[in-house]
């Protein structure tokens, strides 16, 4: 627990502002991610909007020597897809866009999987189930709950729909640094792991595969793909533990927080 930084009210106000700005970036991109654009186009648009319109900093650029503003992970790319001038999106693709933004010293992190053009029903089901799994995890967040509760909620939902959970990558604490404690696994046992306390801020960002969970990293050292080349989807929000539950700091204007009856 000593490594986990609890945010005070003033810090949460600043994190809330960063999250709100990042949500605006996705709204800006929503109508632009269409067949015929390149993944580098997405990177350029996001950088210009973050810097020029929002007067903020794209926090991923330069982090770990990464030269771009975002990751664009297409189809069987699980995460860390590198923007490219030559990778053109075509109808039927799915692409996860993962962006970080820093404002006033605090960082927000979020991602969204876009359906490009006419996407197959199976791909739509994967993307929808991944989104639901993320929200299952978010709904498990409250003081006194554990990270095991969060991970269990995510994995249970994904696996009962026939999908697999990537285990090598996880969510993370966030604040003045992009990656802080704790690590937030997307699988786990109920009642196990770190107990959540008011003021914790972290990301929930499950990566769910259509086929097997096994992954591998390409020779570029960044791009992670599914070993069986089947589709992978991801969604991500930055959340804060409140006195009574959870606040989603990167919630987008078009999102309605889902409820579940089971």
């Amino acid at each position: 627990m000593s490594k986990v930084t609890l945010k005070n009210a003033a810090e949460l106000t600043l994190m809330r502002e960063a999250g709100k700005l990042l949500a605006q970036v996705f709204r800006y991109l929503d109508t632009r991610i269409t067949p015929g654009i390149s993944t580098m186009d997405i990177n350029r648009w996001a950088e210009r909007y973050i810097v020029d319109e929002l007067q903020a900093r794209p926090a991923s650029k330069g982090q770990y020597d990464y030269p771009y503003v975002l990751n664009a992970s297409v189809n069987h790319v699980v995460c860390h897809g590198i923007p490219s001038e030559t990778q053109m999106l075509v109808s039927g693709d799915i692409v996860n866009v993962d962006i970080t933004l820093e404002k006033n010293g605090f960082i927000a992190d979020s991602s969204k999987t876009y359906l490009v053009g006419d996407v197959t029903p199976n791909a739509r089901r994967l993307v929808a189930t991944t989104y639901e799994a993320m929200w299952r995890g978010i709904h498990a967040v409250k003081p006194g709950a554990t990270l095991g509760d969060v991970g269990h909620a995510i994995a249970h939902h994904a696996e009962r729909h026939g999908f697999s959970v990537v285990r090598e990558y996880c969510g993370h604490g966030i604040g003045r640094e992009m990656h802080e404690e704790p690590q937030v696994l997307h699988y786990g046992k109920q009642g196990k792991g770190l107990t959540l306390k008011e003021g914790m801020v972290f990301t929930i960002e499950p990566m769910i595969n259509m086929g097997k969970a096994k992954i591998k990293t390409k020779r570029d050292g960044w791009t992670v793909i599914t070993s069986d080349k089947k589709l992978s989807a991801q969604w991500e929000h930055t959340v804060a533990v409140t006195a009574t539950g959870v606040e989603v700091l990167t919630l987008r204007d078009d999102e309605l927080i889902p409820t579940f009856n089971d």
Side-chain angles (χ1 to χ4, degrees):
M1 184 64 201
S2 61
K3 293 183 179 179
V4 178
T5 303
L6 301 180
K7 275 66 178 182
N8 60 36
E11 291 170 327
L12 282 171
T13 295
L14 294 175
M15 292 206 71
R16 196 174 288 117
E17 175 64 16
K20 188 177 298 185
L21 293 179
L22 182 51
Q24 292 179 30
V25 180
F26 285 98
R27 183 176 63 187
Y28 175 77
L29 293 175
D30 282 346
T31 59
R32 290 167 170 80
I33 297 179
T34 57
I37 68 165
S38 72
T39 53
M40 188 63 79
D41 287 331
I42 303 172
N43 184 82
R44 270 194 296 267
W45 294 331
E47 181 167 23
R48 184 161 55 241
Y49 189 76
I50 291 169
V51 174
D52 296 342
E53 296 296 325
L54 303 180
Q55 285 80 54
R57 181 178 71 86
S60 294
K61 190 172 184 179
Q63 179 88 355
Y64 310 120
D65 296 322
Y66 187 70
Y68 303 108
V69 168
L70 52 78
N71 295 124
S73 302
V74 181
N75 294 334
H76 68 283
V77 177
V78 176
C79 61
H80 302 163
I82 301 173
S84 167
E85 296 283 8
T86 59
Q87 184 172 36
M88 312 301 292
L89 297 182
V90 300
S91 182
D93 283 342
I94 63 172
V95 55
N96 177 266
V97 179
D98 189 347
I99 311 174
T100 60
L101 177 150
E102 181 266 319
K103 182 74 172 181
N104 296 321
F106 285 90
I107 299 172
D109 191 356
S110 185
S111 82
K112 176 176 181 177
T113 296
Y114 288 88
L115 306 173
V116 183
D118 186 14
V119 175
T120 67
N122 280 340
R124 288 180 180 273
R125 190 170 72 89
L126 171 67
V127 173
T129 301
T130 305
Y131 185 70
E132 292 163 3
M134 175 192 67
W135 277 106
R136 294 273 182 168
I138 291 172
H139 280 306
V141 175
K142 61 183 178 181
T146 69
L147 287 179
D149 296 335
V150 176
H152 174 80
I154 292 167
H156 178 71
H157 187 74
E159 290 168 357
R160 73 174 178 164
H161 285 84
F163 301 123
S164 61
V165 179
V166 173
R167 298 192 170 215
E168 289 85 347
Y169 293 92
C170 61
H172 50 86
I174 190 168
R176 292 186 182 277
E177 301 294 332
M178 187 186 303
H179 295 118
E180 300 179 354
E181 292 295 329
Q183 292 190 338
V184 182
L185 303 182
H186 302 119
Y187 60 93
K189 294 182 178 181
Q190 290 177 300
K192 300 295 184 181
L194 183 70
T195 299
L196 303 183
K197 293 187 176 183
E198 182 182 1
M200 289 183 179
V201 181
F202 50 82
T203 70
I204 295 176
E205 49 181 298
M207 303 167 199
I208 308 298
N209 294 349
M210 183 171 284
K212 296 180 180 179
K214 189 176 181 181
I215 61 174
K216 61 182 180 181
T217 303
K218 296 179 73 172
R219 291 181 180 178
D220 61 23
W222 283 102
T223 309
V224 178
I225 63 173
T226 57
S227 292
D228 57 14
K229 301 295 181 67
K230 292 185 178 179
L231 295 178
S232 184
Q234 182 188 17
W235 292 82
E236 175 184 13
H237 272 311
T238 297
V239 305
V241 184
T242 68
T244 57
V246 62
E247 179 181 357
V248 182
L249 301 180
T250 47
L251 189 72
R252 295 180 284 275
D253 289 342
D254 62 338
E255 284 186 288
L256 296 175
I257 298 175
T259 58
F260 303 104
N261 297 320
D262 56 346

